[in-house]
Amino acid sequence: MDGDYKDVETFQAIRKELGAAQRPAHYLAIPPVLFGLVVEQLAKSGCTNGARVIIEKPVGRDLASAQDLQRDSARHLQ
């Protein structure tokens, strides 16, 4: 999908494209600074229900930022 990470409509379009998919996988090959935003947007649009989110490394700049990302992402993932 192509779209703006900050635009809710982008993620609504993803949700629509998923249709009846029960276990989608979202592979995030994006700049690390965007991981938190994208996971949050995926969750708000219902795209993380039953889904897996794969985060391309590097995950954070160091151990502390990687742990922050893990903690923030876990809030949005079931």
Side-chain angles (χ1 to χ4, degrees):
M1 297 276 331
D2 191 20
D4 182 343
Y5 299 126
K6 295 178 184 174
D7 187 355
V8 172
E9 291 181 18
T10 297
F11 295 89
Q12 290 170 344
I14 292 171
R15 177 63 250 158
K16 184 177 178 182
E17 284 294 316
L18 289 173
Q22 295 180 7
R23 302 210 29 94
H26 304 287
Y27 187 88
L28 306 183
I30 58 177
V33 69
L34 296 172
F35 290 148
L37 170 66
V38 171
V39 170
E40 181 179 357
Q41 292 281 42
L42 286 168
K44 285 181 178 178
S45 65
C47 292
T48 58
N49 298 337
R52 296 199 183 263
V53 176
I54 301 107
I55 296 176
E56 176 72 31
K57 58 184 180 178
V59 179
R61 298 171 307 282
D62 53 22
L63 179 59
S65 62
Q67 290 170 330
D68 288 343
L69 174 62
Q70 174 66 29
R71 185 175 41 256
D72 291 344
S73 296
R75 294 181 314 164
H76 300 291
L77 303 173
Q78 301 174 9

